[in-house]
Amino acid sequence: MADVTFSPSRPFVELLPIFEDNYVFVLVNPFNKEALVVDPGTHEKVINYLQEKELTLKGILLTHHHRDHIGGLKDLLKTFPVPVWAPLKNKHQIPDATYYVEEGHQYDAASFQFSVMELPGHTLGHVAYWLQEPRWLFSGDVLFGLGCGRLFEGTYEQAYYSLKKLKRLPPETLVYCTHEYTETNLRFCKMLSSLDDTPLRGDDESLELYENELLNKRSLGIPSVPLKLAIENRVNPFLLAESLQQFTYLRELRNMQS
Ligand SMILES: [Zn+2]
């Protein structure tokens, strides 16, 4: 049945929570009722949402090859045989893609224009999709609220430079990262704040504001995603790291926590 309350006046991103703490993102263009899906770890919720809102899926964007990002791909394609964008370096793990993307490639689908940023570290082939208008970034597992992705394949150096690249995006960028890890990362930041000798922390006031807003949102069941890049730049210790050594120190310290 059509949802009569569904009449947004501009493009938006719907967050579909899956598994314990993942989001699948649906980019919706309300004018032509077309949509794109990013990182479908599973398919049921996505299909239900598209059908309920009577949206036409025009494509699937994948940031990297981990199961919780691509697990729903095959079944989604059975229902909607649409183009798939995936990192060129993951061709082997994702053989079903239509377009294999690399740094700077630009595309247009469902009236959304997006370009590709290569961001190795979490995995070697990891990419993000950047929409200059309206300043949305779909960044998979590279950056999280107050944190960054664990390094499974890449080096510290690669991850450090990937984050540096994100810092150069316009500060008003909204970052759609795939996991709701912000509260866990907050505990890490507070532990950092308790260390006297570390320069690797945002100022306490900004972190306190961040914490209040975060806890408010989460107590109401509101996602902490999208992240505001301007704010992450001020408080996220991994973005504040000024050298590879600092970044490595932080990442190793973070690895010791659960
Ligand atoms: Zn991953």
Side-chain angles (χ1 to χ4, degrees), residues 153-199:
E153 297 174 11
T155 62
Y156 287 106
E157 191 171 12
Q158 285 173 320
Y160 174 62
Y161 285 104
S162 291
L163 291 185
K164 270 187 107 120
K165 214 160 151 181
L166 294 187
K167 278 165 81 168
R168 288 199 294 270
L169 289 173
E172 61 273 26
T173 298
L174 294 179
V175 181
Y176 290 87
C177 60
T178 309
H179 291 277
E180 184 62 61
Y181 286 161
T182 318
E183 280 172 292
T184 311
N185 289 332
L186 175 68
R187 287 195 283 280
F188 175 69
C189 286
K190 291 180 94 165
M191 187 278 288
L192 268 187
S193 291
S194 69
L195 302 177
D196 290 335
D197 55 345
T198 176

mmCIF file of all heavy atoms in Angstrom, residues 153-199:
data_model
loop_
_atom_site.group_PDB
_atom_site.id
_atom_site.type_symbol
_atom_site.label_atom_id
_atom_site.label_comp_id
_atom_site.label_asym_id
_atom_site.label_seq_id
_atom_site.Cartn_x
_atom_site.Cartn_y
_atom_site.Cartn_z
ATOM 1 N N GLU A 153 43.678 -5.017 6.036
ATOM 2 C CA GLU A 153 44.565 -5.316 4.902
ATOM 3 C C GLU A 153 45.644 -4.252 4.693
ATOM 4 O O GLU A 153 46.744 -4.561 4.274
ATOM 5 C CB GLU A 153 43.726 -5.430 3.613
ATOM 6 C CG GLU A 153 42.725 -6.575 3.633
ATOM 7 C CD GLU A 153 41.816 -6.575 2.404
ATOM 8 O OE1 GLU A 153 42.083 -5.826 1.447
ATOM 9 O OE2 GLU A 153 40.822 -7.332 2.428
ATOM 10 N N GLY A 154 45.265 -3.006 4.926
ATOM 11 C CA GLY A 154 46.184 -1.914 4.594
ATOM 12 C C GLY A 154 47.182 -1.631 5.697
ATOM 13 O O GLY A 154 47.147 -2.239 6.771
ATOM 14 N N THR A 155 48.074 -0.673 5.412
ATOM 15 C CA THR A 155 49.090 -0.278 6.391
ATOM 16 C C THR A 155 48.594 0.938 7.182
ATOM 17 O O THR A 155 47.651 1.614 6.781
ATOM 18 C CB THR A 155 50.391 0.121 5.671
ATOM 19 O OG1 THR A 155 50.096 1.258 4.824
ATOM 20 C CG2 THR A 155 50.925 -1.008 4.806
ATOM 21 N N TYR A 156 49.281 1.207 8.277
ATOM 22 C CA TYR A 156 48.968 2.413 9.051
ATOM 23 C C TYR A 156 49.109 3.654 8.158
ATOM 24 O O TYR A 156 48.327 4.588 8.237
ATOM 25 C CB TYR A 156 49.908 2.534 10.253
ATOM 26 C CG TYR A 156 49.604 1.531 11.340
ATOM 27 C CD1 TYR A 156 50.423 0.427 11.553
ATOM 28 C CD2 TYR A 156 48.490 1.701 12.164
ATOM 29 C CE1 TYR A 156 50.146 -0.486 12.560
ATOM 30 C CE2 TYR A 156 48.197 0.788 13.175
ATOM 31 C CZ TYR A 156 49.031 -0.303 13.363
ATOM 32 O OH TYR A 156 48.745 -1.209 14.356
ATOM 33 N N GLU A 157 50.143 3.616 7.336
ATOM 34 C CA GLU A 157 50.406 4.768 6.476
ATOM 35 C C GLU A 157 49.242 5.011 5.515
ATOM 36 O O GLU A 157 48.769 6.132 5.355
ATOM 37 C CB GLU A 157 51.700 4.529 5.706
ATOM 38 C CG GLU A 157 52.186 5.766 5.002
ATOM 39 C CD GLU A 157 53.581 5.595 4.412
ATOM 40 O OE1 GLU A 157 54.066 4.442 4.350
ATOM 41 O OE2 GLU A 157 54.160 6.617 4.022
ATOM 42 N N GLN A 158 48.756 3.936 4.905
ATOM 43 C CA GLN A 158 47.621 4.089 3.984
ATOM 44 C C GLN A 158 46.405 4.660 4.714
ATOM 45 O O GLN A 158 45.735 5.570 4.220
ATOM 46 C CB GLN A 158 47.271 2.737 3.357
ATOM 47 C CG GLN A 158 48.266 2.295 2.292
ATOM 48 C CD GLN A 158 47.978 0.877 1.805
ATOM 49 O OE1 GLN A 158 47.637 -0.006 2.596
ATOM 50 N NE2 GLN A 158 48.142 0.660 0.524
ATOM 51 N N ALA A 159 46.121 4.105 5.891
ATOM 52 C CA ALA A 159 44.945 4.563 6.630
ATOM 53 C C ALA A 159 45.096 6.022 7.046
ATOM 54 O O ALA A 159 44.142 6.803 6.977
ATOM 55 C CB ALA A 159 44.738 3.683 7.862
ATOM 56 N N TYR A 160 46.294 6.389 7.447
ATOM 57 C CA TYR A 160 46.546 7.769 7.878
ATOM 58 C C TYR A 160 46.289 8.741 6.716
ATOM 59 O O TYR A 160 45.609 9.758 6.882
ATOM 60 C CB TYR A 160 47.991 7.867 8.383
ATOM 61 C CG TYR A 160 48.438 9.261 8.734
ATOM 62 C CD1 TYR A 160 47.815 9.977 9.752
ATOM 63 C CD2 TYR A 160 49.497 9.867 8.046
ATOM 64 C CE1 TYR A 160 48.226 11.263 10.071
ATOM 65 C CE2 TYR A 160 49.919 11.145 8.361
ATOM 66 C CZ TYR A 160 49.274 11.844 9.367
ATOM 67 O OH TYR A 160 49.689 13.113 9.682
ATOM 68 N N TYR A 161 46.809 8.388 5.534
ATOM 69 C CA TYR A 161 46.611 9.278 4.391
ATOM 70 C C TYR A 161 45.170 9.263 3.879
ATOM 71 O O TYR A 161 44.674 10.259 3.362
ATOM 72 C CB TYR A 161 47.638 8.996 3.283
ATOM 73 C CG TYR A 161 48.984 9.551 3.684
ATOM 74 C CD1 TYR A 161 50.011 8.729 4.136
ATOM 75 C CD2 TYR A 161 49.201 10.931 3.702
ATOM 76 C CE1 TYR A 161 51.221 9.251 4.570
ATOM 77 C CE2 TYR A 161 50.407 11.466 4.131
ATOM 78 C CZ TYR A 161 51.416 10.622 4.555
ATOM 79 O OH TYR A 161 52.596 11.157 4.996
ATOM 80 N N SER A 162 44.492 8.172 4.062
ATOM 81 C CA SER A 162 43.070 8.135 3.691
ATOM 82 C C SER A 162 42.275 9.107 4.551
ATOM 83 O O SER A 162 41.411 9.838 4.059
ATOM 84 C CB SER A 162 42.510 6.714 3.840
ATOM 85 O OG SER A 162 43.070 5.867 2.860
ATOM 86 N N LEU A 163 42.581 9.136 5.841
ATOM 87 C CA LEU A 163 41.868 10.068 6.727
ATOM 88 C C LEU A 163 42.235 11.514 6.410
ATOM 89 O O LEU A 163 41.386 12.403 6.434
ATOM 90 C CB LEU A 163 42.158 9.760 8.201
ATOM 91 C CG LEU A 163 41.577 8.451 8.738
ATOM 92 C CD1 LEU A 163 41.829 8.344 10.236
ATOM 93 C CD2 LEU A 163 40.080 8.336 8.474
ATOM 94 N N LYS A 164 43.477 11.721 6.059
ATOM 95 C CA LYS A 164 43.906 13.080 5.683
ATOM 96 C C LYS A 164 43.117 13.578 4.475
ATOM 97 O O LYS A 164 42.757 14.742 4.368
ATOM 98 C CB LYS A 164 45.400 13.071 5.321
ATOM 99 C CG LYS A 164 46.309 13.340 6.497
ATOM 100 C CD LYS A 164 47.740 13.492 6.038
ATOM 101 C CE LYS A 164 48.144 14.928 6.117
ATOM 102 N NZ LYS A 164 49.213 15.343 6.912
ATOM 103 N N LYS A 165 42.870 12.655 3.583
ATOM 104 C CA LYS A 165 42.120 12.988 2.362
ATOM 105 C C LYS A 165 40.688 13.428 2.739
ATOM 106 O O LYS A 165 40.156 14.379 2.183
ATOM 107 C CB LYS A 165 42.051 11.709 1.518
ATOM 108 C CG LYS A 165 42.074 11.906 0.043
ATOM 109 C CD LYS A 165 42.496 10.579 -0.570
ATOM 110 C CE LYS A 165 41.927 10.385 -1.929
ATOM 111 N NZ LYS A 165 42.336 9.085 -2.487
ATOM 112 N N LEU A 166 40.100 12.728 3.697
ATOM 113 C CA LEU A 166 38.736 13.076 4.114
ATOM 114 C C LEU A 166 38.695 14.443 4.781
ATOM 115 O O LEU A 166 37.728 15.190 4.638
ATOM 116 C CB LEU A 166 38.179 12.022 5.079
ATOM 117 C CG LEU A 166 37.950 10.631 4.493
ATOM 118 C CD1 LEU A 166 37.243 9.751 5.507
ATOM 119 C CD2 LEU A 166 37.116 10.716 3.210
ATOM 120 N N LYS A 167 39.763 14.760 5.505
ATOM 121 C CA LYS A 167 39.798 16.059 6.195
ATOM 122 C C LYS A 167 39.738 17.226 5.210
ATOM 123 O O LYS A 167 39.339 18.323 5.570
ATOM 124 C CB LYS A 167 41.091 16.180 7.010
ATOM 125 C CG LYS A 167 41.005 15.479 8.342
ATOM 126 C CD LYS A 167 42.355 15.296 8.965
ATOM 127 C CE LYS A 167 42.870 16.523 9.665
ATOM 128 N NZ LYS A 167 44.056 16.194 10.492
ATOM 129 N N ARG A 168 40.152 16.969 3.982
ATOM 130 C CA ARG A 168 40.167 18.051 2.988
ATOM 131 C C ARG A 168 38.798 18.293 2.340
ATOM 132 O O ARG A 168 38.634 19.230 1.578
ATOM 133 C CB ARG A 168 41.202 17.735 1.899
ATOM 134 C CG ARG A 168 42.633 17.865 2.387
ATOM 135 C CD ARG A 168 43.593 18.008 1.225
ATOM 136 N NE ARG A 168 43.657 16.805 0.406
ATOM 137 C CZ ARG A 168 44.523 15.803 0.621
ATOM 138 N NH1 ARG A 168 45.374 15.871 1.620
ATOM 139 N NH2 ARG A 168 44.532 14.755 -0.165
ATOM 140 N N LEU A 169 37.835 17.447 2.632
ATOM 141 C CA LEU A 169 36.495 17.665 2.059
ATOM 142 C C LEU A 169 35.859 18.886 2.732
ATOM 143 O O LEU A 169 36.263 19.280 3.822
ATOM 144 C CB LEU A 169 35.620 16.429 2.303
ATOM 145 C CG LEU A 169 35.979 15.188 1.487
ATOM 146 C CD1 LEU A 169 35.143 13.998 1.945
ATOM 147 C CD2 LEU A 169 35.770 15.435 -0.010
ATOM 148 N N PRO A 170 34.855 19.475 2.091
ATOM 149 C CA PRO A 170 34.203 20.638 2.712
ATOM 150 C C PRO A 170 33.695 20.283 4.108
ATOM 151 O O PRO A 170 33.157 19.191 4.314
ATOM 152 C CB PRO A 170 33.023 20.923 1.768
ATOM 153 C CG PRO A 170 33.392 20.295 0.475
ATOM 154 C CD PRO A 170 34.267 19.120 0.793
ATOM 155 N N PRO A 171 33.891 21.190 5.083
ATOM 156 C CA PRO A 171 33.530 20.872 6.471
ATOM 157 C C PRO A 171 32.050 20.555 6.657
ATOM 158 O O PRO A 171 31.683 19.845 7.586
ATOM 159 C CB PRO A 171 33.916 22.144 7.245
ATOM 160 C CG PRO A 171 34.238 23.173 6.233
ATOM 161 C CD PRO A 171 34.529 22.503 4.941
ATOM 162 N N GLU A 172 31.208 21.055 5.781
ATOM 163 C CA GLU A 172 29.766 20.796 5.955
ATOM 164 C C GLU A 172 29.354 19.401 5.457
ATOM 165 O O GLU A 172 28.175 19.042 5.482
ATOM 166 C CB GLU A 172 28.921 21.885 5.272
ATOM 167 C CG GLU A 172 29.089 22.020 3.784
ATOM 168 C CD GLU A 172 30.236 22.957 3.383
ATOM 169 O OE1 GLU A 172 31.203 23.126 4.159
ATOM 170 O OE2 GLU A 172 30.179 23.490 2.258
ATOM 171 N N THR A 173 30.333 18.634 5.031
ATOM 172 C CA THR A 173 30.054 17.271 4.554
ATOM 173 C C THR A 173 29.386 16.409 5.627
ATOM 174 O O THR A 173 29.792 16.421 6.783
ATOM 175 C CB THR A 173 31.386 16.589 4.132
ATOM 176 O OG1 THR A 173 31.942 17.340 3.057
ATOM 177 C CG2 THR A 173 31.184 15.150 3.711
ATOM 178 N N LEU A 174 28.381 15.666 5.200
ATOM 179 C CA LEU A 174 27.759 14.678 6.088
ATOM 180 C C LEU A 174 28.343 13.315 5.744
ATOM 181 O O LEU A 174 28.333 12.899 4.580
ATOM 182 C CB LEU A 174 26.237 14.652 5.880
ATOM 183 C CG LEU A 174 25.496 15.921 6.277
ATOM 184 C CD1 LEU A 174 24.003 15.773 5.989
ATOM 185 C CD2 LEU A 174 25.711 16.238 7.760
ATOM 186 N N VAL A 175 28.859 12.642 6.750
ATOM 187 C CA VAL A 175 29.544 11.365 6.531
ATOM 188 C C VAL A 175 28.625 10.204 6.921
ATOM 189 O O VAL A 175 28.267 10.052 8.086
ATOM 190 C CB VAL A 175 30.841 11.296 7.365
ATOM 191 C CG1 VAL A 175 31.555 9.964 7.119
ATOM 192 C CG2 VAL A 175 31.756 12.465 7.039
ATOM 193 N N TYR A 176 28.265 9.427 5.920
ATOM 194 C CA TYR A 176 27.445 8.237 6.174
ATOM 195 C C TYR A 176 28.371 7.037 6.299
ATOM 196 O O TYR A 176 28.772 6.432 5.312
ATOM 197 C CB TYR A 176 26.435 8.042 5.035
ATOM 198 C CG TYR A 176 25.354 9.098 5.048
ATOM 199 C CD1 TYR A 176 25.548 10.324 4.398
ATOM 200 C CD2 TYR A 176 24.162 8.901 5.729
ATOM 201 C CE1 TYR A 176 24.571 11.309 4.435
ATOM 202 C CE2 TYR A 176 23.177 9.882 5.767
ATOM 203 C CZ TYR A 176 23.384 11.072 5.126
ATOM 204 O OH TYR A 176 22.415 12.046 5.171
ATOM 205 N N CYS A 177 28.748 6.738 7.542
ATOM 206 C CA CYS A 177 29.605 5.577 7.782
ATOM 207 C C CYS A 177 28.692 4.406 8.123
ATOM 208 O O CYS A 177 27.558 4.590 8.563
ATOM 209 C CB CYS A 177 30.591 5.859 8.904
ATOM 210 S SG CYS A 177 29.838 6.260 10.482
ATOM 211 N N THR A 178 29.186 3.198 7.930
ATOM 212 C CA THR A 178 28.282 2.038 7.973
ATOM 213 C C THR A 178 27.963 1.511 9.369
ATOM 214 O O THR A 178 27.009 0.780 9.530
ATOM 215 C CB THR A 178 28.867 0.903 7.108
ATOM 216 O OG1 THR A 178 29.182 1.456 5.839
ATOM 217 C CG2 THR A 178 27.888 -0.226 6.899
ATOM 218 N N HIS A 179 28.763 1.863 10.357
ATOM 219 C CA HIS A 179 28.519 1.269 11.683
ATOM 220 C C HIS A 179 28.176 2.300 12.748
ATOM 221 O O HIS A 179 28.705 3.413 12.745
ATOM 222 C CB HIS A 179 29.746 0.470 12.146
ATOM 223 C CG HIS A 179 29.970 -0.774 11.360
ATOM 224 N ND1 HIS A 179 29.305 -1.948 11.623
ATOM 225 C CD2 HIS A 179 30.770 -1.019 10.300
ATOM 226 C CE1 HIS A 179 29.704 -2.874 10.756
ATOM 227 N NE2 HIS A 179 30.592 -2.334 9.949
ATOM 228 N N GLU A 180 27.336 1.855 13.666
ATOM 229 C CA GLU A 180 26.969 2.684 14.818
ATOM 230 C C GLU A 180 27.930 2.341 15.962
ATOM 231 O O GLU A 180 27.606 1.553 16.850
ATOM 232 C CB GLU A 180 25.511 2.382 15.201
ATOM 233 C CG GLU A 180 24.958 3.235 16.316
ATOM 234 C CD GLU A 180 24.920 4.710 15.998
ATOM 235 O OE1 GLU A 180 24.246 5.110 15.051
ATOM 236 O OE2 GLU A 180 25.599 5.486 16.694
ATOM 237 N N TYR A 181 29.148 2.897 15.852
ATOM 238 C CA TYR A 181 30.177 2.597 16.845
ATOM 239 C C TYR A 181 30.467 3.803 17.747
ATOM 240 O O TYR A 181 31.397 3.752 18.564
ATOM 241 C CB TYR A 181 31.514 2.258 16.148
ATOM 242 C CG TYR A 181 31.584 0.907 15.488
ATOM 243 C CD1 TYR A 181 32.560 0.655 14.523
ATOM 244 C CD2 TYR A 181 30.716 -0.127 15.835
ATOM 245 C CE1 TYR A 181 32.662 -0.594 13.909
ATOM 246 C CE2 TYR A 181 30.815 -1.369 15.220
ATOM 247 C CZ TYR A 181 31.781 -1.593 14.268
ATOM 248 O OH TYR A 181 31.887 -2.823 13.658
ATOM 249 N N THR A 182 29.717 4.876 17.574
ATOM 250 C CA THR A 182 30.128 6.139 18.195
ATOM 251 C C THR A 182 30.206 6.066 19.717
ATOM 252 O O THR A 182 31.139 6.602 20.321
ATOM 253 C CB THR A 182 29.191 7.274 17.751
ATOM 254 O OG1 THR A 182 28.922 7.122 16.351
ATOM 255 C CG2 THR A 182 29.820 8.629 17.973
ATOM 256 N N GLU A 183 29.228 5.380 20.330
ATOM 257 C CA GLU A 183 29.253 5.324 21.803
ATOM 258 C C GLU A 183 30.470 4.540 22.316
ATOM 259 O O GLU A 183 31.083 4.920 23.307
ATOM 260 C CB GLU A 183 27.963 4.671 22.320
ATOM 261 C CG GLU A 183 26.801 5.644 22.329
ATOM 262 C CD GLU A 183 25.491 4.942 22.659
ATOM 263 O OE1 GLU A 183 25.044 4.138 21.820
ATOM 264 O OE2 GLU A 183 24.946 5.205 23.734
ATOM 265 N N THR A 184 30.780 3.457 21.621
ATOM 266 C CA THR A 184 31.968 2.672 22.009
ATOM 267 C C THR A 184 33.217 3.541 21.865
ATOM 268 O O THR A 184 34.106 3.529 22.732
ATOM 269 C CB THR A 184 32.110 1.441 21.085
ATOM 270 O OG1 THR A 184 30.846 0.801 21.019
ATOM 271 C CG2 THR A 184 33.152 0.482 21.577
ATOM 272 N N ASN A 185 33.277 4.287 20.770
ATOM 273 C CA ASN A 185 34.453 5.130 20.550
ATOM 274 C C ASN A 185 34.530 6.282 21.547
ATOM 275 O O ASN A 185 35.622 6.754 21.866
ATOM 276 C CB ASN A 185 34.447 5.678 19.116
ATOM 277 C CG ASN A 185 34.737 4.574 18.104
ATOM 278 O OD1 ASN A 185 35.412 3.610 18.420
ATOM 279 N ND2 ASN A 185 34.212 4.722 16.897
ATOM 280 N N LEU A 186 33.373 6.710 22.026
ATOM 281 C CA LEU A 186 33.364 7.773 23.040
ATOM 282 C C LEU A 186 34.120 7.318 24.296
ATOM 283 O O LEU A 186 34.876 8.087 24.890
ATOM 284 C CB LEU A 186 31.920 8.152 23.395
ATOM 285 C CG LEU A 186 31.767 9.167 24.535
ATOM 286 C CD1 LEU A 186 32.288 10.540 24.117
ATOM 287 C CD2 LEU A 186 30.302 9.283 24.962
ATOM 288 N N ARG A 187 33.929 6.052 24.653
ATOM 289 C CA ARG A 187 34.625 5.528 25.839
ATOM 290 C C ARG A 187 36.143 5.604 25.633
ATOM 291 O O ARG A 187 36.893 5.929 26.546
ATOM 292 C CB ARG A 187 34.189 4.080 26.129
ATOM 293 C CG ARG A 187 32.791 4.004 26.698
ATOM 294 C CD ARG A 187 32.512 2.636 27.307
ATOM 295 N NE ARG A 187 32.245 1.601 26.319
ATOM 296 C CZ ARG A 187 31.067 1.437 25.705
ATOM 297 N NH1 ARG A 187 30.057 2.235 25.998
ATOM 298 N NH2 ARG A 187 30.885 0.481 24.825
ATOM 299 N N PHE A 188 36.570 5.309 24.404
ATOM 300 C CA PHE A 188 37.995 5.391 24.091
ATOM 301 C C PHE A 188 38.483 6.850 24.224
ATOM 302 O O PHE A 188 39.532 7.111 24.800
ATOM 303 C CB PHE A 188 38.244 4.861 22.674
ATOM 304 C CG PHE A 188 39.660 5.006 22.211
ATOM 305 C CD1 PHE A 188 40.677 4.244 22.774
ATOM 306 C CD2 PHE A 188 39.992 5.914 21.206
ATOM 307 C CE1 PHE A 188 41.995 4.384 22.350
ATOM 308 C CE2 PHE A 188 41.305 6.054 20.777
ATOM 309 C CZ PHE A 188 42.308 5.289 21.347
ATOM 310 N N CYS A 189 37.687 7.774 23.699
ATOM 311 C CA CYS A 189 38.072 9.193 23.764
ATOM 312 C C CYS A 189 38.168 9.673 25.203
ATOM 313 O O CYS A 189 39.048 10.461 25.541
ATOM 314 C CB CYS A 189 37.053 10.069 23.038
ATOM 315 S SG CYS A 189 37.186 9.926 21.281
ATOM 316 N N LYS A 190 37.263 9.185 26.035
ATOM 317 C CA LYS A 190 37.295 9.622 27.432
ATOM 318 C C LYS A 190 38.505 9.044 28.147
ATOM 319 O O LYS A 190 39.113 9.696 28.986
ATOM 320 C CB LYS A 190 35.992 9.222 28.138
ATOM 321 C CG LYS A 190 34.823 10.023 27.594
ATOM 322 C CD LYS A 190 33.540 9.664 28.248
ATOM 323 C CE LYS A 190 33.255 10.590 29.402
ATOM 324 N NZ LYS A 190 31.869 10.511 29.858
ATOM 325 N N MET A 191 38.856 7.837 27.760
ATOM 326 C CA MET A 191 40.065 7.235 28.328
ATOM 327 C C MET A 191 41.283 8.083 27.903
ATOM 328 O O MET A 191 42.141 8.385 28.725
ATOM 329 C CB MET A 191 40.178 5.799 27.799
ATOM 330 C CG MET A 191 41.278 4.959 28.407
ATOM 331 S SD MET A 191 42.864 5.244 27.658
ATOM 332 C CE MET A 191 42.625 4.448 26.079
ATOM 333 N N LEU A 192 41.285 8.496 26.625
ATOM 334 C CA LEU A 192 42.382 9.337 26.128
ATOM 335 C C LEU A 192 42.458 10.641 26.910
ATOM 336 O O LEU A 192 43.536 11.107 27.267
ATOM 337 C CB LEU A 192 42.150 9.700 24.662
ATOM 338 C CG LEU A 192 42.720 8.856 23.549
ATOM 339 C CD1 LEU A 192 42.467 9.558 22.225
ATOM 340 C CD2 LEU A 192 44.207 8.605 23.728
ATOM 341 N N SER A 193 41.269 11.210 27.145
ATOM 342 C CA SER A 193 41.225 12.490 27.868
ATOM 343 C C SER A 193 41.806 12.360 29.261
ATOM 344 O O SER A 193 42.289 13.332 29.829
ATOM 345 C CB SER A 193 39.784 12.987 27.999
ATOM 346 O OG SER A 193 39.305 13.356 26.748
ATOM 347 N N SER A 194 41.732 11.140 29.816
ATOM 348 C CA SER A 194 42.233 10.961 31.176
ATOM 349 C C SER A 194 43.756 10.820 31.205
ATOM 350 O O SER A 194 44.372 10.867 32.264
ATOM 351 C CB SER A 194 41.574 9.736 31.818
ATOM 352 O OG SER A 194 42.056 8.565 31.178
ATOM 353 N N LEU A 195 44.364 10.639 30.039
ATOM 354 C CA LEU A 195 45.834 10.558 29.994
ATOM 355 C C LEU A 195 46.389 11.972 29.983
ATOM 356 O O LEU A 195 45.973 12.802 29.186
ATOM 357 C CB LEU A 195 46.302 9.828 28.725
ATOM 358 C CG LEU A 195 45.796 8.404 28.485
ATOM 359 C CD1 LEU A 195 46.316 7.878 27.155
ATOM 360 C CD2 LEU A 195 46.244 7.485 29.618
ATOM 361 N N ASP A 196 47.312 12.232 30.852
ATOM 362 C CA ASP A 196 47.837 13.595 30.959
ATOM 363 C C ASP A 196 48.711 13.990 29.781
ATOM 364 O O ASP A 196 48.732 15.125 29.360
ATOM 365 C CB ASP A 196 48.695 13.727 32.234
ATOM 366 C CG ASP A 196 47.817 13.672 33.465
ATOM 367 O OD1 ASP A 196 46.630 14.010 33.324
ATOM 368 O OD2 ASP A 196 48.323 13.283 34.529
ATOM 369 N N ASP A 197 49.428 13.011 29.273
ATOM 370 C CA ASP A 197 50.518 13.364 28.368
ATOM 371 C C ASP A 197 50.168 13.220 26.894
ATOM 372 O O ASP A 197 51.045 13.194 26.060
ATOM 373 C CB ASP A 197 51.726 12.479 28.687
ATOM 374 C CG ASP A 197 51.358 11.002 28.622
ATOM 375 O OD1 ASP A 197 50.140 10.713 28.610
ATOM 376 O OD2 ASP A 197 52.272 10.169 28.574
ATOM 377 N N THR A 198 48.882 13.116 26.545
ATOM 378 C CA THR A 198 48.604 12.949 25.127
ATOM 379 C C THR A 198 48.023 14.217 24.505
ATOM 380 O O THR A 198 47.097 14.817 25.058
ATOM 381 C CB THR A 198 47.666 11.754 24.857
ATOM 382 O OG1 THR A 198 47.386 11.734 23.466
ATOM 383 C CG2 THR A 198 46.362 11.852 25.625
ATOM 384 N N PRO A 199 48.577 14.635 23.405
ATOM 385 C CA PRO A 199 48.020 15.789 22.694
ATOM 386 C C PRO A 199 46.872 15.359 21.774
ATOM 387 O O PRO A 199 46.251 16.169 21.116
ATOM 388 C CB PRO A 199 49.207 16.276 21.861
ATOM 389 C CG PRO A 199 49.993 15.033 21.569
ATOM 390 C CD PRO A 199 49.749 14.086 22.730
#
